[in-house]
Amino acid sequence: MPDSMTLDSTRLQRLQQIPLWDFALTLYAKPGVEAACLTLQEEAGLDVCELLFHCWLYSCGLETKPAALAHQREQRCFWQRHVTAVLRGLRRDLKASAAERESVAALRETIKQTELMAERENLQRWQTWVWEASAEEQRVTNISTTISTTISTTPPNAAKWLLKQLFSGKSGFKPDDSFTRQESLLRSIQTLTCQLDPYQGAR
């Protein structure tokens, strides 16, 4: 059995066969996932693109290395704030006017599609960050066998794993902090993790 800290090339190869955008569309279409993502975005301020990125890794039994993640997260958050969030704000601001004027409704639909393109671009950049990493600069590693076994059989632990990834490098986070005690947020995280299989990529 390989060392859990040694990157399993089979898992990485599997990941390279699954475009993140395609994975995100499939996951997002599953029952309850869209609502869960929106709840986590609106109530917890989480970045849905990063959320889907970690789910993508998880499905192949991989996770990010915290030190490598920090800089990439900063770049992706910059994109979300200055591109995606601006488009989302415009779309929301036009909602009332769109109900009264067809021309505004058409404009709002164009902005909605542009917002989706911005989300896709952000996911593609997450994907490229993993796929184009050099052998000397590995950015992901295996989820350890022990943790994988636990989280695949116990949804609350899977939720804590995902929370740990999302808050890695952020001060003051503990897996059992107040976030996990907020029922709607924990339920949203569990809705996502119950759809995922960390062994899929290693089979």
Side-chain angles (χ1 to χ4, degrees):
M1 180 179 296
D3 187 325
S4 63
M5 296 305 292
T6 302
L7 180 61
D8 184 336
S9 60
T10 302
R11 299 184 189 197
L12 187 57
Q13 288 170 4
R14 170 63 176 167
L15 190 74
Q16 291 171 338
Q17 295 170 357
I18 307 172
L20 176 51
W21 177 250
D22 293 345
F23 171 88
L25 289 179
T26 299
L27 178 61
Y28 210 72
K30 291 184 177 180
V33 170
E34 179 178 359
C37 287
L38 293 176
T39 295
L40 293 166
Q41 175 180 275
E42 300 300 326
E43 296 185 19
L46 293 179
D47 178 2
V48 172
C49 284
E50 184 179 350
L51 178 67
L52 295 170
F53 167 71
H54 288 296
C55 290
W56 177 59
L57 294 179
Y58 178 106
S59 71
C60 291
L62 298 168
E63 64 185 17
T64 57
K65 291 186 173 182
L69 175 64
H71 180 63
Q72 176 66 2
R73 173 184 282 152
E74 182 179 338
Q75 291 184 318
R76 302 281 51 79
C77 285
F78 183 88
W79 176 272
Q80 291 294 77
R81 285 196 307 271
H82 294 276
V83 180
T84 309
V86 172
L87 293 167
R88 183 180 298 129
L90 287 171
R91 174 175 57 80
R92 289 175 174 175
D93 289 346
L94 291 173
K95 185 175 182 179
S97 297
E100 300 173 356
R101 294 179 62 89
E102 289 186 8
S103 57
V104 176
L107 173 60
R108 185 170 183 267
E109 182 60 28
T110 298
I111 293 172
K112 181 179 179 181
Q113 293 305 313
T114 306
E115 180 188 348
L116 185 63
M117 290 172 64
E119 296 279 18
R120 182 171 186 170
E121 175 64 23
N122 204 29
L123 287 171
Q124 288 177 330
R125 293 187 184 195
W126 274 114
Q127 172 184 284
T128 299
W129 178 71
V130 174
W131 281 5
E132 295 187 356
S134 66
E136 295 74 25
E137 189 193 5
Q138 290 183 355
R139 295 165 178 170
V140 297
T141 189
N142 301 339
I143 296 175
S144 72
T145 303
T146 301
I147 294 175
S148 295
T149 301
T150 302
I151 63 181
S152 66
T153 57
T154 314
N157 285 344
K160 288 183 179 181
W161 176 89
L162 184 53
L163 285 171
K164 182 180 178 183
Q165 303 310 302
L166 290 165
F167 286 89
S168 175
K170 298 180 180 179
S171 61
F173 172 73
K174 297 179 181 178
D176 59 350
D177 72 0
S178 59
F179 183 100
T180 63
R181 290 196 291 271
Q182 296 182 48
E183 185 177 351
S184 65
L185 301 182
L186 182 57
R187 186 169 58 248
S188 295
I189 286 286
Q190 290 175 346
T191 296
L192 294 172
T193 54
C194 74
Q195 303 280 5
L196 304 172
D197 176 8
Y199 288 107
Q200 181 179 353
R203 284 175 178 161

